[in-house]
Amino acid sequence: MSNLISKKEIERLAYFARIKLEKEELKNAPKEIESILQYIQKLKDINTEEVEPLFHFPELTNIVREDQVEQTGEEIRKKMMKMGKDKDNYLKVESIL
Amino acid sequence: MTIKETQEKLRKKEIGLEEFLSQFFSRIKERNKDLNAILTTFEDAKEEMEKINKTLPLYGAVFVVKDNILVKDKRATAGSKMLEHYIAPYDATVVEKIKEKGGLVIGKGNMDEFAMGSSTENSAFGPTRNPYDLERVPGGSSGGCAVAIADNMCNAALGSDTGGSIRQPAAFCGVVGFKPTYGTVSRSGVISMASSFDQVGPFAKCVDDAHLIFEAIAGKDKKDSVTSDIIKKEKKGSIKIGVPKEYFVAGINDDIKKVIMQAIDKIEKSKIEIVEISLPYTEYALPTYEIIMASEVSANMARFDGIRYGLEFDRPFAKTLKEAYLENRGEGLGREVKRRIILGTYALSSGYFDAYYIKAQKVRSLIAEDFRNAFNKVDVIITPTTPTLPFKIGEKIEDPLSMHLSDIFTATANLAGLPAISLPCGKIGNLPVGAQLMADRFYEDILFEVAKKVEKIWKN
């Protein structure tokens, strides 16, 4: 059977998903992902032309509420800031462009 | 001893509080170095217990909670390096509820990273081992919780189940594990994996305890917009249990088949009607699950970028934010998680979306319809929980497809949103075998009624 996905495609998908793959991972990923892709081809046997997709269950409806502003505790904020690089009470990250 | 029996003894002071709690802590101390079931122990729990009102329904329930469920001011790693130092700023709704009702949390259970796995080998903090055989896996992804119950490190636990992550480890460790109807239990404060499947549920020593815990955590929550208070009770006369023939064919271990068949015979001899049924789309369930699960995983995992979560990473080489994301996610996420994100990104990408994601959602409709038809004929369905016995550590880790096949009998309940429970029904050698009972959506009452009867039959 011919391959459904190439190493190059996997590299591209990983880049889109913002995942750096280690050398070892990149070596094994094509084979591992290919085996799952081959397995799911089974669904092609079923004719689903007349079938509606099941995105959610009919009994369940959204719970809607008004937006409420709640004060995040200063303590939590401090804890979060302490975990990152912060400057003047802002989190510092790398440049976007 | 059930939680209710424990309660009585504590209330009548037949057991002292100090003595009661230290049995769990000393068990953890003694056994966890071999089993690696608990990631964090709460030493301050002893003081908490003294403050709990003795009349509350969960008084005497001592919990280990899976590490993807938030407990305020405690570490929540979800088994990932990405969250190694993450401290939860609030309680998950389920934790709030068990605390309100008198339960006590004493620690966090090891798990496959972000609940992705069927063996608890994918934890960044090392694999958990099966107490029945230390060379074997406890199942997963909630392996730590299943082991904690089986090995008496606690008498109650909360796990999460996306494709079998409560029921499969419960079967492998000889305990009871229950996945509620989709929408009955809040997931607020639970780290998401695949949001149209994820449910929180209990592990317990017996069905009574699982029922008690379920009632404490169920109910509508404004913080989880798909929750509801629906309860359905109407029966169709005397109880009928269906045996789907498709669950006894390809891939099932012959010994397991034999044990389950004997267990079903015992039920029939106790004058409960057993009917053969058919669920024709069963063989398509796991491929359908694979596609939808990976798609939802790829979306849910986007938040773990090392900035919003996992801030502790040092990124000396990253000059731009894009490089930082690549580095952080490359460093912080494990192999299995990366594979699923890549597969999900593929299934959702332009050109493949209809062929994979939409197709799978359509087949999901057919699988739900299979169950609808079956539940017109029977009240409960019985199947094996797993196709194999607990396997050896390392046996399947290099072959993701064979690992995923561990969920072949459990993922169907997640696809159709059904309540499903696994309970011990026998042993092969020293290793436990689990049977699964499923009911129609929101028919928890009937499922528990039948599970209690069946448990009694198998124990005698």
Side-chain angles (χ1 to χ4, degrees):
Chain A
M1 213 181 292
S2 63
N3 276 3
L4 292 161
I5 196 161
S6 65
K7 190 176 164 189
K8 215 174 158 193
E9 263 179 295
I10 287 176
E11 278 185 285
R12 213 168 70 101
L13 288 163
Y15 178 74
F16 281 145
R18 300 287 182 264
I19 295 170
K20 192 176 147 193
L21 293 174
E22 305 296 330
K23 252 192 194 141
E24 186 69 18
E25 288 172 328
L26 195 57
K27 203 179 111 214
N28 294 320
K31 188 178 71 194
E32 293 161 348
I33 291 173
E34 180 71 25
S35 76
I36 295 171
L37 268 180
Q38 292 288 358
Y39 177 66
I40 62 186
Q41 297 308 308
K42 222 185 210 171
L43 297 191
K44 288 193 174 147
D45 301 348
I46 316 172
N47 181 350
T48 49
E49 235 168 83
E50 305 285 313
V51 183
E52 285 295 315
L54 180 70
F55 292 122
H56 58 87
F57 298 105
E59 302 97 330
L60 304 172
T61 46
N62 250 335
I63 298 172
V64 193
R65 61 181 165 90
E66 292 291 319
D67 276 346
Q68 274 170 342
V69 182
E70 280 176 31
Q71 199 60 48
T72 306
E74 192 52 33
E75 209 182 315
I76 291 172
R77 189 183 155 79
K78 268 190 201 145
K79 238 184 252 170
M80 284 182 69
M81 300 298 272
K82 214 168 75 187
M83 290 169 73
K85 303 169 192 169
D86 65 302
K87 201 183 171 196
D88 305 333
N89 222 17
Y90 288 95
L91 279 176
K92 192 181 156 198
V93 296
E94 288 76 5
S95 70
I96 292 168
L97 295 171
Chain B
M1 202 168 18
T2 66
I3 293 173
K4 277 191 179 148
E5 286 163 359
T6 306
Q7 257 165 29
E8 277 312 297
K9 290 207 181 274
L10 282 169
R11 283 174 191 153
K12 288 183 188 152
K13 299 209 166 118
E14 285 169 31
I15 334 171
L17 205 56
E18 175 79 34
E19 177 197 359
F20 170 68
L21 271 184
S22 41
Q23 61 172 335
F24 299 119
F25 282 100
S26 45
R27 190 76 185 164
I28 293 172
K29 211 168 185 182
E30 181 194 343
R31 298 279 291 168
N32 202 46
K33 53 184 185 296
D34 290 331
L35 297 172
N36 196 28
I38 312 285
L39 292 177
T40 312
T41 311
F42 305 166
E43 294 296 340
D44 54 350
K46 286 183 187 173
E47 294 150 42
E48 293 286 313
M49 181 90 188
E50 281 165 23
K51 294 181 221 150
I52 300 172
N53 178 342
K54 285 190 170 76
T55 60
L56 291 168
L58 282 183
Y59 183 68
V62 176
F63 283 85
V64 165
V65 171
K66 188 175 183 180
D67 213 22
N68 60 349
I69 300 173
L70 306 190
V71 179
K72 191 174 190 290
D73 294 332
K74 307 289 184 189
R75 196 166 77 125
T77 68
S80 180
K81 203 174 159 191
M82 183 67 93
L83 297 179
E84 191 174 355
H85 304 292
Y86 175 69
I87 306 292
Y90 62 94
D91 274 331
T93 299
V94 285
V95 170
E96 215 170 71
K97 284 191 169 189
I98 57 173
K99 284 181 178 172
E100 266 168 26
K101 285 163 190 164
L104 179 75
V105 186
I106 62 163
K108 302 295 292 290
N110 199 5
M111 57 184 286
D112 285 299
E113 184 176 8
F114 290 111
M116 297 179 209
S118 309
S119 68
T120 318
E121 289 168 286
N122 290 332
S123 168
F125 309 102
T128 299
R129 288 168 186 272
N130 193 313
Y132 287 90
D133 180 347
L134 295 181
E135 298 300 307
R136 290 177 192 269
V137 304
S141 64
S142 318
C145 291
V147 171
I149 286 277
D151 210 61
N152 300 314
M153 295 170 169
C154 57
N155 63 3
L158 288 183
S160 68
D161 189 313
T162 305
S165 282
I166 292 174
R167 292 158 287 154
Q168 187 252 16
F172 276 9
C173 295
V175 298
V176 174
F178 172 59
K179 179 201 93 73
T181 301
Y182 184 80
T184 49
V185 177
S186 167
R187 285 99 37 97
S188 171
V190 181
I191 297 167
S192 308
M193 179 187 152
S195 303
S196 80
F197 300 132
D198 295 345
Q199 269 296 282
V200 174
F203 284 93
K205 284 274 189 199
C206 60
V207 179
D208 261 325
D209 286 358
H211 194 182
L212 185 76
I213 299 165
F214 166 69
E215 287 192 323
I217 59 173
K220 199 167 186 164
D221 178 15
K222 65 174 188 202
K223 294 179 194 157
D224 180 349
S225 69
V226 299
T227 49
S228 90
D229 281 326
I230 303 170
I231 297 171
K232 292 183 180 171
K233 287 174 190 276
E234 67 275 16
K235 251 185 282 182
K236 301 152 192 103
S238 65
I239 294 285
K240 272 194 206 123
I241 301 183
V243 181
K245 56 176 193 237
E246 291 83 0
Y247 282 68
F248 293 86
V249 285
I252 182 172
N253 170 297
D254 284 337
D255 292 332
I256 290 196
K257 191 171 165 179
K258 210 156 67 187
V259 170
I260 300 282
M261 284 306 189
Q262 281 166 355
I264 294 172
D265 272 350
K266 282 188 194 163
I267 301 175
E268 206 166 15
K269 284 194 183 111
S270 308
K271 310 247 178 317
I272 296 174
E273 194 180 346
I274 303 281
V275 192
E276 191 185 279
I277 57 164
S278 174
L279 297 163
Y281 285 101
T282 299
E283 65 169 306
Y284 301 103
L286 201 64
T288 304
Y289 171 76
E290 286 284 336
I291 296 169
I292 300 170
M293 176 271 292
S295 303
E296 293 182 9
V297 158
S298 72
N300 273 331
M301 286 300 118
R303 77 195 65 173
F304 300 105
D305 56 13
I307 308 284
R308 276 174 291 178
Y309 297 96
L311 287 161
E312 70 280 5
F313 286 112
D314 199 16
R315 304 174 290 266
F317 308 113
K319 296 223 162 39
T320 64
L321 199 55
K322 195 192 280 172
E323 281 171 27
Y325 289 153
L326 282 161
E327 289 281 336
N328 291 339
R329 286 162 68 81
E331 173 96 357
L333 302 174
R335 255 170 80 185
E336 176 70 7
V337 175
K338 287 180 183 174
R339 270 197 299 264
R340 294 194 194 194
I341 293 172
I342 291 171
L343 188 68
T345 308
Y346 177 76
L348 292 177
S349 59
S350 162
Y352 295 108
F353 182 71
D354 286 336
Y356 288 108
Y357 183 72
I358 296 294
K359 177 85 186 182
Q361 293 287 21
K362 287 180 169 185
V363 180
R364 186 182 189 181
S365 273
L366 297 171
I367 291 162
E369 202 179 302
D370 260 4
F371 280 106
R372 244 191 331 270
N373 294 335
F375 287 123
N376 281 329
K377 296 184 199 118
V378 298
D379 303 281
V380 168
I381 291 172
I382 187 166
T383 75
T385 308
T386 62
T388 68
L389 285 168
F391 41 89
K392 291 261 173 75
I393 290 176
E395 190 180 323
K396 299 191 177 186
I397 201 77
E398 298 299 327
D399 181 0
L401 184 59
S402 94
M403 182 72 87
H404 293 194
L405 286 169
S406 305
D407 296 334
I408 195 153
F409 297 146
T410 45
T412 47
N414 302 80
L415 285 162
L418 311 173
I421 190 165
S422 176
L423 55 157
C425 72
K427 272 189 175 178
I428 297 171
N430 182 40
L431 299 172
V433 177
Q436 174 177 236
L437 300 175
M438 297 185 257
D440 205 356
R441 284 210 295 279
F442 303 106
Y443 281 91
E444 260 83 0
D445 279 6
I446 290 178
L447 185 65
F448 279 118
E449 185 191 321
V450 175
K452 283 173 198 176
K453 275 189 189 152
V454 164
E455 182 183 49
K456 216 169 149 190
I457 294 168
W458 290 340
K459 270 189 181 160
N460 289 333

